[in-house]
Amino acid sequence: MKHYVKMSKLYAPTLKEDPAEAELASHRLLLRAGMIRKTAAGLYSYLPLAWRSLRKIEAVIREEMEAIGAQEVQVPMVVPAELWQESGRWDAYGAELLRLRDRHERDFVIGPTHEETFVDLIKNELRSYRQLPVTLYQIQDKFRDEMRPRFGLMRGREFIMKDAYSFDATVEGMHESYEQEKAAYARICERCGLRALPVVADSGQIGGDTSVEFMALADAGEAELVWCDCDWAADVEAAQVGIAWEEGPGTDCERVETPCEGTIAALAAFMGVSERACRKSFSLIAEDGTPVLCLLPGDHELNEVKAEHAFGHYEVMDEEQMKEYGLVKGYMGPVGCDERVRVVADVSLRDSTSWLVGANEAGWHIMGARPGRDFTVDEWLDLASAKEGDACPVCGRPLKAARGIEVSQVFQLGTKYSEAMGATFMDEDGVERPFQMGCYGIGVSRTLAAVVEQSHDEQGIIWPVCVAPFEVEVVPLDVKGEVWEAASRLAGELAERGVEVVIDDRTERPGVKFNDADLMGFPYQVICGKRGIKGGVAEVKERASGERAEVALEQLADYLSERVIAERR
RNA sequence: CGGGACGUGGCUCAGCUUGGUAGAGCGCUCGGUUCGGGACCGAGAGGUCGCUGGUUCAAAUCCAGUCGUCCCGACCA
């Protein structure tokens, strides 16, 4: 016999006003609906409602992982420093890694991710290619000492993550494991009710070559992405796209006086050309100390992640440094540039022969400059940030811009960790080889926040059935007499049919109950009022659409349970 | 870590400029009237004004330091 839960006993303290600390919808509403509370910056406690939703998301993940043959395990959150020293990340990971020392003065980290632990776990046990492939996963709290935790569950320091690691004998095998996991991730997003897109991504701290992020589309998202009708999409950090440019005016490398502000917009206006006919110059000092002048299409920005790949931890040149290399802020250009300066240009400009660039003299530009004739481009690199209107690299149509919340990411690691940590198996030809690995993460708590971000209104959260803390709330407007009797009977009948029900048995006024119900956002409300009950009906309100229907009491449990169960996916 | 702001009953905030009895609304407790979209009346409980030090006869208020929190930037599920 299944039970229903009484609101009067539910630990879900709702807030009438927006908490001062919360800005984002998901943060605000999760706090107001009594689902989470802050324990410290970036550290949140999950109250019963949030925990119920999280367990549902986890259940979906477990089903999809089982379906592709991944096995669930659990490793310690605390990891001995030696493992991280072996992989090299003890030094490379930086301040985000929380380090601690035990009473014997031994160093540990709290795992922000667990490549090392999993490699260590399998390396002495998986010895033969015959045992492969193997994919292991866990669902566990992770800790990353973020510079700036924010937005509640969106970027906490401690967060719930599902992390999986695949071990294959061959690169082809790794690709297969990766594709399986990626497909499972798409299903997981879909089943959790998220509108999400797989996008080409940069692989960041985790490393490896190929990586895809699943982005839940939301204006509040921290990531910028571009996407195409043909289904191709990429994080702007990683997007390699087609950029349309125009030739500048003239062809003879002439100096031209430009008494306007030193910006591309002003230059374009003064010259009567479009911004894309100009060339933007950006100067920096690469990690190795080399001064670099980057040339970009005038209407595009230098992408910092791409620049990091090209130049390491670079610095933007200050005026002092510019002066040293004869560069003039606002009027920089490659023509007659100091020979110590390495000139690089965005690959998109490779075929352009007439460049409008700065003359390295305030108030002057050069038009019709031609690479190879008037200046040298030392290297052509992908440096520009993709933006709306650039061409899709697959089909060539113009891209659209959007923002997204990165809920999960899959990586092809290759042998990065297995090699560093000496994790090998015996191949069929009798040769020891490092494992081909993939790793796959889902931000479980972030997924919850993303659902709220995508699904709410002025009144509160609108839970999709699949992740709702409860599926139905019964709202009796009277907690005694025939209204209460009918309502509690309905709650019992729904519970017996396997529906998750909460009944608002508080002696509150109707308005309070309605507002809380909308705030907590359970998919269906069954409103029992005196008039209806006398007439043998109750009102079923769908939270998402606001639609109300009067349903006969004796049919209500069947009607609603069928509907709810059909929507579970 | 750089820039900005804020710390006053459980929550949202006023008071601080110009030092002198710690306030309001909501919430909570008790009594009554209400009862289909955050009711009303009456009576209560509840605060070392983040912390430390300084100035002063006197500090929530002025000064210094410190801790915490939030927002904007560079990192990431």
Side-chain angles (χ1 to χ4, degrees):
Chain A
M1 162 87 180
K2 304 228 178 177
H3 296 274
Y4 54 83
V5 170
K6 291 181 173 174
M7 190 73 93
S8 63
K9 301 289 180 214
L10 184 65
Y11 187 61
T14 56
L15 267 25
K16 194 181 275 189
E17 286 164 285
D18 281 338
E21 70 196 48
E23 204 110 306
L24 221 60
S26 59
H27 188 195
R28 230 175 49 227
L29 292 172
L30 287 167
L31 283 165
R32 279 195 58 205
M35 296 188 68
I36 60 171
R37 283 295 181 265
K38 186 178 69 185
T39 298
L43 301 175
Y44 284 84
S45 300
Y46 307 107
L47 275 45
L49 292 177
W51 197 243
R52 289 180 71 98
S53 285
L54 288 167
R55 284 195 338 235
K56 289 193 178 180
I57 295 170
E58 291 175 1
V60 169
I61 292 171
R62 290 193 167 98
E63 275 179 37
E64 294 296 338
M65 286 299 105
E66 295 242 328
I68 60 168
Q71 301 171 67
E72 184 168 6
V73 299
Q74 189 77 201
V75 302
M77 280 177 64
V78 177
V79 186
E82 299 85 72
L83 291 182
W84 280 67
Q85 284 155 352
E86 263 182 67
S87 72
R89 285 206 291 185
W90 175 261
D91 296 317
Y93 209 89
E96 227 176 274
L97 183 63
L98 184 65
R99 298 152 210 256
L100 50 125
R101 199 161 272 181
D102 72 4
R103 64 169 71 198
H104 305 295
E105 300 285 299
R106 283 189 286 245
D107 287 316
F108 292 86
V109 310
I110 299 201
T113 171
H114 279 83
E115 284 75 15
E116 287 82 355
T117 310
F118 275 78
V119 169
D120 182 62
L121 181 67
I122 57 92
K123 76 176 198 185
N124 295 322
E125 319 293 340
L126 295 177
R127 313 304 310 258
S128 159
Y129 72 98
R130 291 170 193 277
Q131 296 168 286
L132 303 177
V134 169
T135 296
L136 301 176
Y137 78 98
Q138 63 171 348
I139 298 175
Q140 184 191 48
D141 272 19
K142 295 286 180 282
F143 192 94
R144 295 183 187 175
D145 201 356
E146 294 277 345
M147 282 177 192
R148 187 180 157 213
R150 61 189 131 167
F151 304 145
L153 298 191
M154 202 76 95
R155 178 174 299 282
R157 290 191 290 174
E158 183 173 331
F159 59 97
I160 304 174
M161 177 160 129
K162 168 266 172 182
D163 47 325
Y165 306 86
S166 65
F167 302 92
D168 273 274
T170 62
V171 172
E172 297 71 43
M174 172 185 77
H175 287 157
E176 202 169 309
S177 296
Y178 172 88
E179 290 302 331
Q180 278 189 354
E181 200 82 23
K182 194 170 120 188
Y185 275 31
R187 289 192 298 272
I188 290 165
C189 285
E190 205 253 305
R191 288 183 59 189
C192 289
L194 278 179
R195 278 174 286 116
L197 225 54
V199 308
V200 175
D202 184 72
S203 55
Q205 291 253 17
I206 307 284
D209 301 326
T210 306
S211 181
V212 161
E213 290 165 344
F214 284 83
M215 294 277 196
L217 298 174
D219 292 338
E222 297 180 81
E224 287 178 71
L225 55 107
V226 286
W227 61 280
C228 179
D229 289 324
C230 77
D231 279 351
W232 181 87
D235 194 311
V236 294
E237 292 178 351
Q240 298 182 358
V241 300
I243 295 175
W245 45 267
E246 282 171 24
E247 293 292 14
T251 54
D252 300 332
C253 197
E254 296 169 67
R255 276 165 55 84
V256 49
E257 190 163 12
T258 51
C260 58
E261 256 183 89
T263 64
I264 292 289
L267 175 66
F270 178 80
M271 296 294 291
V273 298
S274 67
E275 291 191 18
R276 62 170 62 170
C278 307
R279 303 292 175 259
K280 181 180 285 184
S281 299
F282 193 90
S283 58
L284 53 85
I285 306 286
E287 187 170 6
D288 64 4
T290 312
V292 180
L293 185 70
C294 301
L295 292 157
L296 301 160
D299 58 341
H300 280 70
E301 300 297 328
L302 177 71
N303 184 278
E304 292 167 15
V305 173
K306 291 179 178 178
E308 290 250 327
H309 282 307
F311 312 120
H313 290 290
Y314 66 92
E315 273 174 55
V316 176
M317 266 195 210
D318 56 32
E319 307 233 4
E320 194 93 339
Q321 291 164 320
M322 287 183 195
K323 198 173 283 176
E324 189 188 334
Y325 297 109
L327 299 167
V328 179
K329 190 170 173 17
Y331 304 91
M332 287 186 285
V335 180
C337 192
D338 188 304
E339 59 188 20
R340 289 170 295 175
V341 176
R342 183 173 161 223
V343 176
V344 301
D346 192 80
V347 277
S348 63
L349 296 170
R350 198 190 278 271
D351 298 327
S352 170
T353 55
S354 172
W355 296 34
L356 174 58
V357 293
N360 293 318
E361 183 180 340
W364 288 82
H365 279 80
I366 290 174
M367 62 183 205
R370 179 172 189 164
R373 181 188 69 187
D374 306 317
F375 62 96
T376 307
V377 172
D378 297 310
E379 205 171 356
W380 300 88
L381 297 169
D382 178 27
L383 294 170
S385 255
K387 66 177 209 177
E388 184 144 23
D390 288 341
C392 171
V394 176
C395 71
R397 278 179 286 186
L399 294 167
K400 282 163 257 189
R403 299 190 71 87
I405 300 163
E406 186 192 335
V407 291
S408 50
Q409 189 165 9
V410 292
F411 301 84
Q412 290 180 14
L413 296 174
T415 58
K416 174 175 170 169
Y417 292 91
S418 48
E419 222 164 310
M421 297 179 68
T424 57
F425 63 95
M426 190 68 75
D427 207 349
E428 57 189 319
D429 48 15
V431 179
E432 293 237 337
R433 295 185 200 284
F435 294 97
Q436 292 288 338
M437 292 178 58
C439 78
Y440 319 94
I442 301 179
V444 178
S445 39
R446 181 181 282 182
T447 296
L448 185 75
V451 171
V452 177
E453 208 55 59
Q454 282 190 353
S455 187
H456 68 271
D457 62 15
E458 281 300 299
Q459 318 306 317
I461 303 171
I462 302 172
W463 289 112
V465 167
C466 40
V467 295
F470 288 96
E471 294 161 329
V472 172
E473 174 175 350
V474 176
V475 187
L477 300 185
D478 204 348
V479 291
K480 54 188 187 310
E482 55 183 348
V483 169
W484 170 253
E485 306 233 318
S488 51
R489 191 175 332 113
L490 281 175
E493 287 170 6
L494 284 162
E496 267 171 42
R497 286 163 177 72
V499 175
E500 297 172 342
V501 188
V502 61
I503 186 169
D504 195 345
D505 61 330
R506 298 173 304 169
T507 55
E508 289 289 351
R509 296 165 59 81
V512 173
K513 293 189 180 188
F514 292 145
N515 281 310
D516 273 347
D518 287 347
L519 176 59
M520 293 183 186
F522 308 122
Y524 293 98
Q525 298 167 17
V526 176
I527 300 161
C528 303
K530 208 183 298 175
R531 284 195 299 274
I533 297 301
K534 278 209 197 305
V537 296
E539 189 175 299
V540 175
K541 176 184 162 186
E542 189 183 9
R543 176 66 178 88
S545 64
E547 273 171 34
R548 295 159 189 270
E550 300 222 308
V551 181
L553 293 177
E554 55 273 17
Q555 283 152 28
L556 197 144
D558 284 333
Y559 162 79
L560 195 50
S561 59
E562 273 170 37
R563 215 166 141 174
V564 165
I565 288 162
E567 284 180 49
R568 277 184 190 161
R569 296 186 238 215

